């Protein structure tokens, strides 16, 4: 069923607000991001922002979801499964850090999540939304790294990789770049070890 005019308008408004939020993050930083500022940049009312997102934490969750939507459609982000294991692992780690986890907005989003952790309704929403995003990332990773499907705990392997990237993303603002780079290299090597078949060791 095709969306009606109201649904189309709502989708357009939501997209406009997300673009305004990302513009603020990129040009002014997390400290300037607020419901009021998003409304001002989008030339809309604060009521419109609150209607679509409810809180700053919910807004940041959707900003990350919006970015992941873009990466999901960006084929250059995901290495082809036919590439050698080392090339795929290096490419994925580099792009994941460059385009998502190493961006200031990633740490900013988690700051908003942690600030909302005492709100059970918001926490439940974030958990649910993150589970959806994690599932999408997992399926794309298994497409780029089909060897992981051989592992009985393939999803746990993927979640471990993503957790490492999230941890580095939170550490990033407080660590020298060479320290982060060294850990990203180790992560790539770890991914490669996951892709190695038992026969390779014999």
């Amino acid at each position: 069923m095709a969306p009606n005019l109201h649904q189309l308008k709502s989708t357009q408004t939501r997209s406009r607000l997300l673009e305004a939020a990302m513009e603020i993050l990129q040009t002014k930083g997390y400290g300037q991001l607020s419901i009021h500022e998003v409304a001002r940049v989008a030339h809309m009312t604060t009521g419109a922002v609150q209607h679509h997102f409810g809180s700053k934490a919910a807004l940041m969750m959707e900003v990350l979801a919006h970015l992941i939507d873009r990466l999901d459609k960006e084929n250059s982000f995901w290495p082809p499964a036919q590439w050698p294991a080392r090339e795929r692992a290096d490419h994925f780690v580099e792009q994941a850090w460059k385009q998502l986890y190493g961006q200031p907005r990633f740490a900013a989003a988690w700051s908003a999540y942690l600030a909302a952790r005492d709100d059970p309704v918001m926490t439940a929403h974030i958990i649910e939304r993150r589970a959806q995003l994690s599932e999408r990332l997992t399926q794309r990773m298994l497409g780029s790294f089909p060897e992981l499907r051989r592992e009985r705990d393939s999803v746990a392997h993927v979640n471990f990789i993503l957790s490492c990237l999230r941890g580095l993303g939170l550490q990033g603002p407080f660590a020298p770049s060479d320290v982060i780079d060294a850990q990203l290299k180790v992560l790539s090597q770890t991914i490669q070890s996951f892709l190695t078949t038992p026969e390779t060791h014999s």
Side-chain angles (χ1 to χ4, degrees), residues 24-106:
I24 295 165
L25 285 171
Q26 292 168 355
T27 61
K28 300 181 179 180
Y30 173 71
Q32 297 301 312
L33 182 67
S34 66
I35 297 292
H36 175 77
E37 184 64 10
V38 170
R40 189 189 69 77
V41 172
H43 303 291
M44 302 183 75
T45 65
T46 55
V49 184
Q50 291 172 330
H51 171 73
H52 284 278
F53 301 107
S55 71
K56 187 174 180 177
L59 175 60
M60 291 304 303
M61 182 77 254
E62 294 309 316
V63 165
L64 280 187
H66 192 59
L67 292 170
I68 290 174
D69 279 339
R70 289 182 174 182
L71 296 181
D72 207 28
K73 299 169 185 174
E74 180 57 59
N75 290 328
S76 64
F77 180 86
W78 299 99
Q82 63 268 27
W83 284 7
R86 179 176 178 178
E87 189 175 352
R88 276 181 287 152
D90 285 347
H91 177 90
F92 170 74
V93 170
E94 178 184 0
Q95 293 301 314
W97 182 254
K98 180 180 178 181
Q99 298 192 45
L100 183 59
Y101 297 96
Q103 291 290 324
R105 57 183 169 242
F106 179 80

Side-chain angles (χ1 to χ4, degrees), residues 162-189:
L162 297 177
S163 291
C164 287
L165 286 165
R166 283 192 291 268
L168 289 172
L170 293 175
Q171 181 187 354
F174 310 101
S177 59
D178 59 330
V179 171
I180 297 295
D181 290 342
Q183 292 180 77
L184 290 172
K185 183 177 181 180
V186 170
L187 179 57
S188 176
Q189 293 168 345

Side-chain angles (χ1 to χ4, degrees), residues 131-146:
Q132 296 168 355
L133 298 175
S134 180
E135 173 62 20
R136 288 171 51 194
L137 286 173
T138 296
Q139 293 308 313
R140 288 304 301 263
M141 279 201 70
L142 291 175
S144 289
F145 302 99

